[in-house]
Every structure is written in C-alpha cells, then in structure tokens.
Amino acid sequence: CRELRRYYPTWRNMDFDSLGDDLIKIAFFYLQDVEKNVYPRVRDFESDTLSVKVTGYSWIDVFDARVSKGTGVKRLQEQLGISREETVVFGDYLNDLPMADYAALSCVPSNGHPEVRRAFTRVIGSNRDGAVAQTIIALLSEYNGY
C-alpha cells in the first residue's frame, strides 16, 4: 500500500508472537476516517497501562500509557537543560496534544485537528503550504535578531 510505505517504508507483515517484549507501539491504518469508524470500537481498550490515540485521518496508535510526545519533550528538556519557556512544539493531530503542556509556544497548522487548534497557543498556515517550515524560520530569525 502506497500510503503505508509513505510513513513506514520498510514495513512488513509480522507475527505478533515473534516481536518480543520491546514493542514500542502498534500503528493501525484504515482508509476511511479512523476517528469516526474505528476509534469508537477500540477506545475501551485504553487503560492505565495502554494508550489508544487517533494520530491521523487514517491512523490509530496503541502504545504504553506512560509515554507520549509530551513525555518525550520533557525528557529532551531535561537532557538539554532547557525550560518550558525555551520550548516550541508543532503538532496537528490528537497524539500531539500532550506536547502543549511542556512548551510556552505550541503551533498547529490551520488544517490541524480542531481539538489541537483549540488547545495549542498559535494557529499557523496550512502544513500543505509549508507553514511549519516558514514558522520555524521566522522564529529562528526573531531569536537571532535578524
């Protein structure tokens, strides 16, 4: 499938029993509005140990509930010695929401998920028009005094 190879160029079918204990996440792909057609059927599997998140129009990820993009940002901040005020995040879908807790500035493209647009601090142009790169360049120019 062309869409699957776009995100996972080396994907292959696997036997889950052969994966071992180091499984990070499982990504499910469904062509037709996964939030409407699949998520209502799988959200009850979410628990203290398992997270089920819609990550795009056609994607759902299942992963360890102790980790998120937010905890990833927090760990980077700790390793780099930077604060929330020195952090900018970009996201467009529901799995990106936890990052907003760790950044003073959170940017969402105008075509991002409505919940993300409400939660993040700044709505930028569409990601189809290069708004993320343009915003990064503008922020870096501003930071460097250009």
Side-chain angles (χ1 to χ4, degrees), residues 24-40:
I24 296 170
K25 77 172 182 178
I26 300 172
F28 293 95
F29 177 77
Y30 184 79
L31 285 171
Q32 304 275 331
D33 194 353
V34 76
E35 187 174 2
K36 176 182 167 192
N37 295 309
V38 177
Y39 183 69

Side-chain angles (χ1 to χ4, degrees), residues 9-138:
T10 61
W11 81 277
R12 63 189 185 283
N13 289 330
M14 297 198 63
D15 173 11
F16 284 112
D17 293 330
S18 69
L19 293 177
D21 293 333
D22 294 332
L23 185 64
I24 296 170
K25 77 172 182 178
I26 300 172
F28 293 95
F29 177 77
Y30 184 79
L31 285 171
Q32 304 275 331
D33 194 353
V34 76
E35 187 174 2
K36 176 182 167 192
N37 295 309
V38 177
Y39 183 69
R41 298 171 190 235
V42 298
R43 68 176 162 223
D44 291 340
F45 290 103
E46 197 153 34
S47 68
D48 291 343
T49 58
L50 193 65
S51 190
V52 180
K53 298 294 179 202
V54 176
T55 59
Y57 180 80
S58 300
W59 294 94
I60 285 185
D61 288 356
V62 179
F63 54 93
D64 186 326
R66 296 171 295 177
V67 297
S68 69
K69 288 187 175 185
T71 58
V73 170
K74 179 182 178 193
R75 185 155 183 200
L76 279 171
Q77 288 170 326
E78 291 167 352
Q79 289 179 347
L80 297 171
I82 61 173
S83 68
R84 181 181 190 280
E85 290 69 32
E86 298 170 295
T87 304
V88 178
V89 297
F90 292 81
D92 65 349
Y93 233 83
L94 300 172
N95 59 318
D96 298 320
L97 285 169
M99 293 191 300
D101 294 336
Y102 297 93
L105 177 59
S106 51
C107 300
V108 56
S110 59
N111 59 324
H113 192 282
E115 285 185 44
V116 182
R117 289 196 316 262
R118 284 191 295 274
F120 275 32
T121 59
R122 184 184 296 177
V123 177
I124 60 175
S126 170
N127 60 13
R128 292 184 189 106
D129 298 328
V132 172
Q134 292 167 10
T135 303
I136 291 170
I137 290 167

